[in-house]
Amino acid sequence: MVEGAGPAGQVSEGPLLAVRGLCVDRPDGAPLLVDVALELRAGEVVAVFGASGAGKSTLTTALHEPESLRARGFAVRAGERRVATAVGIVPQRGALFDHLSAADNIALALRNAEPPASSDAAAVAAWIARVDLPVAWSERGGVAAVSGGEAQRLAVARTLAGGRKILLLDEPSVGLDPHRVTMLAATLRKQIAAGGATALVVTHDLGFAAALADRFLYMDPEARRPIELDVAPARDAAEVPGVEQRLAVAVRERLSRETAAHGGHARRGLGARVRGLVASWLAPFVAASRVLAAIPAALRRPRDLLEVARVTLSQALWRLSRETAAHGGHARRGLGA
């Protein structure tokens, strides 16, 4: 772990999240995850690597939203699942409300925290400063045009401001240049340690993981669960390049073993395509079920509901009008042709 940012002094009596015997079967009955055991402790960051399709994203979903997997036909079961505090999701590029300013994104999280926290200008400015964004940034009208690094840092601040202590991050460094990757890793370490939070980070970026994580897991396709890599974390910034090199060797060895052991990818291709088609067909129904499930909670906070719904609806109508006009132009040109 990088010095000054790790779990020392932040470890609670027990893990913030613990699962044992977690199993997930695909809709066709094939096992995807088998007997997963995982603990996340306060102040700790765990990085997860693995080939595409190995089950990394499924693992994070099973940890925080197993019902969404069941709605898509997956079977999810666990011998033990303990979540001591709220879970926050930080997807790729932050998934910010792009019609709101940075301040409004933070204020929305504070109002919806459990318990609700003050969302006045001072509280919002404090959170913006914690992730090394200028206070003046909150005066901008929206966040649609911010850089990827800024969006990720703001998303982390918004998640923590909402009282989430367990962070699940999906490829947080994607699309960032090396300098911004280093900045993001430092910000995450600092905020996770300061808030007694924990994080599980799905990533392909070995340098980012070396600068951030205390433990490194690899999704083993034969065992169908994450296996801990025997790589010690960096104790300070000077050790990060060496840790990155050792991770590269460990991951390459795993990938080479998989390539040699599984030459029959083509035979599995048909099954994967069928599963993809089934998942695509079910996606609208899954989305609709999530919307319906969220309605009671949304109605309890009418101010936030109206604030988001008003702009979302106007954007949808604007996009629809543009698409209608564009299709009309194509039809006229087609008739002339």
Side-chain angles (χ1 to χ4, degrees):
M1 100 193 120
V2 176
E3 187 174 302
Q10 297 291 339
V11 179
S12 61
E13 293 181 359
L16 295 183
L17 182 149
V19 291
R20 288 179 179 80
L22 174 65
C23 299
V24 178
D25 297 338
R26 294 186 175 97
D28 63 0
L32 179 58
L33 299 176
V34 176
D35 199 24
V36 174
L38 178 66
E39 288 189 353
L40 300 177
R41 294 183 174 273
E44 181 181 52
V45 179
V46 178
V48 183
F49 310 111
S52 298
K56 302 184 299 296
S57 297
T58 301
L59 172 62
T60 58
T61 305
L63 292 176
H64 83 278
E65 202 177 27
E67 288 305 320
S68 70
L69 288 174
R70 294 187 179 107
R72 290 158 51 195
F74 288 78
V76 183
R77 56 197 180 277
E80 177 187 6
R81 181 177 180 272
R82 288 187 290 118
V83 181
T85 183
V87 177
I89 311 301
V90 184
Q92 289 185 25
R93 304 189 188 279
L96 302 170
F97 292 112
D98 58 10
H99 62 281
L100 300 178
S101 68
D104 289 337
N105 268 273
I106 298 285
L108 188 66
L110 289 167
R111 289 199 301 269
N112 287 278
E114 295 295 343
S118 171
S119 59
D120 61 19
V124 170
W127 275 106
I128 290 176
R130 284 179 199 177
V131 291
D132 300 319
L133 293 171
V135 174
W137 211 55
S138 62
E139 299 172 5
R140 297 181 185 175
V143 295
V146 303
S147 73
E150 289 173 327
Q152 286 291 9
R153 282 183 282 156
L154 181 58
V156 169
R158 185 182 65 178
T159 302
L160 292 171
R164 274 57 178 171
K165 298 285 189 182
I166 302 170
L167 276 64
L168 305 179
L169 298 101
D170 182 16
E171 296 287 359
S173 63
V174 67
L176 304 185
D177 61 62
H179 174 65
R180 287 186 171 86
V181 167
T182 301
M183 287 181 61
L184 179 61
T187 300
L188 279 168
R189 284 250 47 138
K190 179 180 175 182
Q191 294 305 317
I192 287 168
T198 188
L200 182 70
V201 184
V202 172
T203 183
H204 289 92
D205 190 331
L206 301 181
F208 177 70
L212 178 67
D214 304 290
R215 291 194 287 132
F216 311 102
L217 307 181
Y218 186 87
M219 292 296 298
D220 189 309
E222 286 194 19
R224 295 189 173 90
R225 60 178 174 270
I227 304 298
E228 189 146 359
L229 296 177
D230 187 19
V231 177
R235 291 173 295 182
D236 54 47
E239 291 189 357
V240 168
V243 172
E244 181 180 0
Q245 290 178 0
R246 290 191 289 276
L247 283 174
V249 171
V251 170
R252 274 200 303 268
E253 287 177 354
R254 290 270 174 182
L255 290 172
S256 298
R257 229 177 296 166
E258 290 170 24
T259 302
H262 301 285
H265 288 306
R267 292 193 296 272
R268 296 198 302 272
L270 179 60
R273 287 195 294 272
V274 171
R275 288 192 297 273
L277 289 172
V278 171
S280 299
W281 184 81
L282 289 173
F285 300 100
V286 174
S289 67
R290 290 181 180 174
V291 170
L292 291 173
I295 287 175
L299 292 176
R300 289 196 295 270
R301 301 181 185 275
R303 174 184 171 184
D304 295 336
L305 175 63
L306 290 174
E307 183 178 1
V308 174
R310 174 180 58 79
V311 181
T312 302
L313 180 60
S314 64
Q315 288 180 344
L317 292 174
W318 177 74
R319 288 170 183 157
L320 179 62
S321 66
R322 286 192 64 188
E323 290 174 4
T324 302
H327 288 317
H330 291 320
R332 288 192 295 273
R333 287 196 298 273
L335 182 61

